[in-house]
Amino acid sequence: MKNENAQNLPVAVLGAGPVGLAAAAHLIERGLTPLIFEAGAAIGANLATYRHVRLFSPWQYNIDKAARRLLLGQGWSEPAGEELPTAGELVDHYLAPLASIREVNSNLLLGYRVTAITRPGFDKVKTKGRESAPFLIRANTPDGSCQFLASAVIDATGTWSHQNPLGADGIPALGEQALSDRIDYGMPDVLGSARETYAGKKVMVVGAGHSAAGTLLALAQLTQEHPDTRIVWVTRGSQLARFFGGGEADALKARGQLGLRLKALRDSGGLEMRQNFRILELAETDGKIAVTAEPIDGPAPVIEGIDRIICAAGARPDLALTRELRVRHDPWLESTDALAPLIDPNEHSCGTVRPHGHRELAHPESGYYAVGAKSYGRAPNFLLATGYEQVRSVAAALVGDMAAADDVQLDLPETGVCNTRLAYEAAPEPTGSCCNVAPAAAAACCVPAPSPTGACGCSKPAESTCCA
Ligand SMILES: Cc1cc2nc3c(=O)[nH]c(=O)nc-3n(C[C@H](O)[C@H](O)[C@H](O)COP(=O)(O)OP(=O)(O)OC[C@H]3O[C@@H](n4cnc5c(N)ncnc54)[C@H](O)[C@@H]3O)c2cc1C
């Protein structure tokens, strides 16, 4: 491998989601070159899996400031600030135009899944000379396994690609992998592309967060057209009241109506609810799935006759990428360590996250930052606006502008909508502040080389590539 002067290398940005692309925009503004690795075939690959979901924060909070400046310079027409986009609209009307700007596009590697980050010639234990060595990024690419050098790494790979399993113990339930062809993780589009998969089936939804609620509401809608569809809602705990909304009195009319519909569905027997159901095992019986939970006061409870399962039990970061780096994570949240007290969902159910930047995001491995949803680890209360401020601060720190890097501020939404809705539902009128937290305090809504000529024959030119 060529001995590069690390300062002249690009900054690796891992993930072309909203925060990764915002990082790229800030780096470009700061005169640095981003080299963006995206595992998906297109940008915004995680958002694309829930295109149908309407976001709870309006456009004005979903657009990064540096990205906006770049886009406006290209004649982009900005969507109306108060409107709530769907995830698909965020990709189509914001991320895709951003990614097509020349300075971004020419450094964007689609279909490049990063598998490891290290320093060339240094395993994790070796210290002397470590900080002057560049980073080495290994990626699975359309042309095989390739390696790239970078001066710093901004890891914005999110968590959505690593969904939590059904098993109540945090590991897959027995039989979960064998039956994986009947399980969807996340938020499948049950009213759109996945309609046929779910219509008329007995569907188990697992989870107590807003993804589960959004999916249940969609299934409730599906039962209106396909009354033979059956829904079983399983949660580990027993706090369900908030999902039924305030009924007729709900300030958010659409949510209130859907809450009433869920209630009606439950009352008519179309929705079976099983609380304190901690899944241990899945088995196939007569072509259907039988799900067994931990016994509480008697024999292990079993739910039988399930056709499909939707697991909406949250997601976790991929910590394997940094196995050879000196990183420090919170032991249970798996967030960047210094961030944990600011975001702990045990304390911050509805968001009082303070603005934070490069200092809280730093790891013992100087030059490596996890940002965006990944920086929060398993905490589900990440907000785009927070991620945009993170990458502004990190980009400033990377060029040594410490005054700007330390001047962290957060401009927060006052949506009053801590909920996930579907594209099919009308967007409600914004009311009040986020979860009744005073706007100033509310930081999060509770939801949630050398040219590549080497042996691997990479096809995308990139200044710092060095193929294995
Ligand atoms: C249903 C839902 C609704 C939400 N609504 C809102 C909202 O209204 N407002 C709000 O502020 N926030 C919302 N969030 C939270 C958050 O803003 C989003 O999750 C957001 O997408 C996080 O952005 P990100 O860039 O950090 O990660 P992601 O969007 O997850 O992007 C990560 C990218 O990295 C890529 N990647 C992953 N692994 C690798 C790898 N090894 N190598 C290369 N690339 C990789 C992925 O393909 C993806 O493109 C919502 C989240 C969910 C799940």
Side-chain angles (χ1 to χ4, degrees):
M1 182 179 305
K2 238 170 92 175
N3 197 6
E4 299 279 350
N5 178 350
Q7 298 307 314
N8 300 327
L9 293 168
V11 175
V13 176
L14 316 189
V19 180
L21 287 174
H26 283 279
L27 293 170
I28 290 164
E29 273 202 344
R30 291 277 179 182
L32 296 175
T33 305
L35 184 60
I36 312 158
F37 298 80
E38 169 52 51
I43 52 93
N46 284 345
L47 286 160
T49 68
Y50 55 93
R51 285 184 65 85
H52 55 290
V53 174
R54 193 173 294 286
L55 302 186
F56 54 79
S57 57
W59 274 113
Q60 66 189 108
Y61 297 106
N62 300 332
I63 295 170
D64 171 73
K65 289 182 180 134
R68 175 185 282 122
R69 287 189 287 270
L70 274 183
L71 281 161
L72 290 176
Q74 307 284 320
W76 175 65
S77 51
E78 185 169 354
E82 292 306 319
E83 285 177 15
L84 300 169
T86 61
E89 287 164 352
L90 191 77
V91 173
D92 297 344
H93 302 317
Y94 166 53
L95 298 181
L98 178 60
S100 69
I101 292 174
R102 189 181 48 80
E103 295 97 314
V104 180
N105 188 261
S106 57
N107 298 302
L108 176 60
L109 304 170
L110 294 175
Y112 281 55
R113 177 176 292 281
V114 174
T115 54
I117 316 162
T118 187
R119 305 234 195 211
F122 291 82
D123 66 12
K124 196 175 197 166
V125 179
K126 193 173 166 193
T127 299
K128 198 171 172 202
R130 183 175 192 91
E131 294 210 348
S132 55
F135 285 93
L136 184 153
I137 322 292
R138 181 172 293 173
N140 284 340
T141 81
D143 304 304
S145 184
C146 294
Q147 299 189 159
F148 304 80
L149 293 178
S151 59
V153 177
I154 299 179
D155 181 352
T157 52
T159 58
W160 195 248
S161 326
H162 287 80
Q163 295 282 325
N164 287 332
L166 289 168
D169 305 321
I171 56 176
L174 290 169
E176 183 171 344
Q177 276 146 349
L179 290 165
S180 60
D181 60 335
R182 289 181 232 174
I183 307 169
D184 277 313
Y185 296 84
M187 294 188 78
D189 190 1
V190 301
L191 289 172
S193 56
R195 178 182 287 261
E196 292 311 312
T197 308
Y198 288 94
K201 301 284 171 31
K202 185 170 178 182
V203 184
M204 175 184 277
V205 177
V206 180
H210 292 93
S211 300
T215 297
L216 283 162
L217 296 173
L219 285 169
Q221 233 169 295
L222 190 64
T223 59
Q224 302 202 319
E225 289 166 44
H226 298 275
D228 48 344
T229 307
R230 286 284 170 268
I231 311 170
V232 184
W233 180 12
V234 161
T235 61
R236 289 178 208 177
S238 54
Q239 307 262 318
L240 302 181
R242 63 193 164 121
F243 293 119
F244 289 113
E248 299 287 6
D250 201 316
L252 304 174
K253 212 172 159 205
R255 182 177 64 186
Q257 282 170 358
L258 285 165
L260 289 176
R261 210 178 299 159
L262 265 186
K263 266 187 193 157
L265 197 65
R266 181 192 57 178
D267 296 345
S268 69
L271 170 64
E272 181 188 336
M273 291 168 58
R274 299 290 289 267
Q275 302 172 38
N276 298 313
F277 193 90
R278 298 173 54 80
I279 297 176
L280 291 183
E281 185 170 0
L282 271 53
E284 184 167 4
T285 314
D286 299 330
K288 307 273 184 183
I289 307 172
V291 183
T292 305
E294 200 176 280
I296 301 176
D297 291 323
V302 182
I303 302 174
E304 293 180 316
I306 300 294
D307 294 301
R308 305 272 326 171
I309 300 177
I310 297 175
C311 179
R316 55 183 65 171
D318 180 4
L319 301 183
L321 292 182
T322 51
R323 183 76 176 78
E324 278 313 303
L325 294 186
R326 297 177 175 183
V327 285
R328 190 176 286 143
H329 295 113
D330 178 73
W332 51 89
L333 285 184
E334 296 183 338
S335 66
T336 303
D337 194 39
L339 214 49
L342 304 183
I343 62 170
D344 185 352
N346 296 298
E347 304 292 330
H348 298 273
S349 63
C350 212
T352 47
V353 179
R354 287 205 314 269
H356 56 267
H358 72 110
R359 291 196 192 276
E360 292 83 357
L361 295 166
H363 284 270
E365 190 75 60
S366 145
Y368 169 80
Y369 299 92
V371 298
K374 183 166 188 177
S375 69
Y376 275 43
R378 298 187 186 207
N381 47 358
F382 174 75
L383 203 59
L384 285 172
T386 315
Y388 295 156
E389 181 60 3
Q390 289 179 338
V391 294
R392 185 202 62 75
S393 170
V394 167
L398 288 175
V399 294
D401 183 353
M402 303 318 281
D406 287 334
D407 183 22
V408 284
Q409 296 172 5
L410 211 44
D411 183 17
L412 294 165
E414 292 183 59
T415 64
V417 187
C418 294
N419 205 347
T420 299
R421 291 177 310 284
L422 304 168
Y424 321 103
E425 301 296 337
E429 299 193 2
T431 53
S433 62
C434 174
C435 306
N436 301 323
V437 177
C445 274
C446 53
V447 237
S451 69
T453 52
C456 68
C458 316
S459 53
K460 177 99 183 179
E463 276 184 7
S464 66
T465 55
C466 60
C467 297

